[in-house]
Amino acid sequence: MKIHFVCDNRRCIHQYAWVFFTQEINLASFSFLFSEIVQYSHQRVESIPALEQKLADIGKRVGDRVLELLVLRERNAKRETKINGILLFVHTTVWKALFGKPADLLEKDGDLDDTYMISDKDMVVNKYISVKKDDLGSLNCAFFVAGIVEAILVGAHFPARVTAHTVLEKGTTLLIKFNLAAIPPEAQ
C-alpha cells in the first residue's frame, strides 16, 4: 500500500480511506487482534464494568475515525440533520463498513422519544471471546461497538449515550439514548 502525501490533508486521508475500506480483513485476524485488546484492557482494570468502559473508550477512538473515513468516501456525502437519518446511516452504512452487512433491527423504544435500539443477532465481537464464568461471566464485549456508535453520533452533532445489552430473542442490542436538550427541535 503506497500513500502519496500532498499538502492537502483531506486528500491524504481520502486516499488512505479508500484503500482501507476496499480491503476486507480476515475474521481470524480481527478476532485475534480484538482478543488481545480485551486481554490488555483486562490487565489494567479491576472490575467488569471498568473493563466494559475501557472497551467503550477504545471504541470511541475508532468511531471518530470511522465517521471521518465514511464521510470522505461517500460520493454524495451530506450531513444528516435528523435523528432518523443518522440512525439509518449507522444501521446500514456504518454496519456494512464494519461487519459486511446491515444490522438486523433498528427500532424506537415504545414510550420514549429519545431512546432507540439497534440489534444484531450475530455480533462478531462477542462471537469468539470466551471467558471464565466465575471471573468475567457477564462481560459484554459489544461495549466496543457501542463506543464506536456513540462517537459517530456525537461526531455528527447528535449527543447520545450508547450501552450494550444481551437480549435472548434479539441477540446483542445497542441502546441509544439521545440528549434531546442538546439537539435542535427541527432535528428531532
Side-chain angles (χ1 to χ4, degrees):
M1 173 172 63
K2 185 175 183 182
I3 300 174
H4 297 285
F5 290 96
V6 293
C7 58
D8 183 7
N9 290 337
R10 184 175 183 157
R11 191 167 176 191
C12 288
I13 293 172
H14 177 66
Q15 289 173 353
Y16 178 73
W18 192 256
V19 170
F20 178 74
F21 277 112
T22 56
Q23 296 177 352
E24 289 189 15
I25 298 172
N26 186 340
L27 183 59
S29 301
F30 171 77
S31 298
F32 176 73
L33 178 63
F34 187 70
S35 70
E36 289 298 317
I37 291 171
V38 172
Q39 289 176 19
Y40 177 83
S41 301
H42 180 246
Q43 293 171 356
R44 285 155 177 72
V45 296
E46 299 285 327
S47 64
I48 293 172
L51 177 56
E52 290 172 339
Q53 184 59 46
K54 183 84 167 165
L55 290 173
D57 292 342
I58 294 169
K60 288 176 187 175
R61 295 178 66 189
V62 172
D64 289 335
R65 288 156 180 83
V66 168
L67 176 63
E68 183 176 353
L69 293 174
L70 287 176
V71 168
L72 286 174
R73 191 177 99 178
E74 290 289 318
R75 297 278 185 231
N76 299 325
K78 64 180 179 94
R79 184 179 176 275
E80 293 295 340
T81 58
K82 302 262 184 206
I83 288 178
N84 290 339
I86 193 68
L87 286 172
L88 194 59
F89 173 76
V90 169
H91 175 264
T92 55
T93 307
V94 172
W95 230 259
K96 280 183 185 178
L98 294 175
F99 305 116
K101 65 177 185 75
D104 294 332
L105 185 63
L106 170 64
E107 61 184 337
K108 184 177 181 182
D109 194 6
D111 299 337
L112 304 172
D113 290 336
D114 62 346
T115 307
Y116 294 82
M117 295 177 277
I118 296 177
S119 298
D120 197 343
K121 292 181 181 168
D122 190 30
M123 185 75 71
V124 71
V125 295
N126 285 337
K127 193 171 189 178
Y128 298 108
I129 299 293
S130 59
V131 295
K132 298 177 187 174
K133 292 293 181 192
D134 57 341
D135 187 26
L136 297 172
S138 65
L139 175 66
N140 189 349
C141 291
F143 270 88
F144 176 74
V145 179
I148 293 173
V149 171
E150 184 173 333
I152 289 170
L153 293 173
V154 170
H157 304 290
F158 290 93
R161 177 78 178 120
V162 182
T163 55
H165 305 278
T166 302
V167 181
L168 292 178
E169 60 273 356
K170 294 181 184 177
T172 302
T173 299
L174 300 183
L175 185 66
I176 303 167
K177 185 163 179 61
F178 287 100
N179 181 1
L180 293 181
I183 298 173
E186 61 271 4
Q188 297 177 15

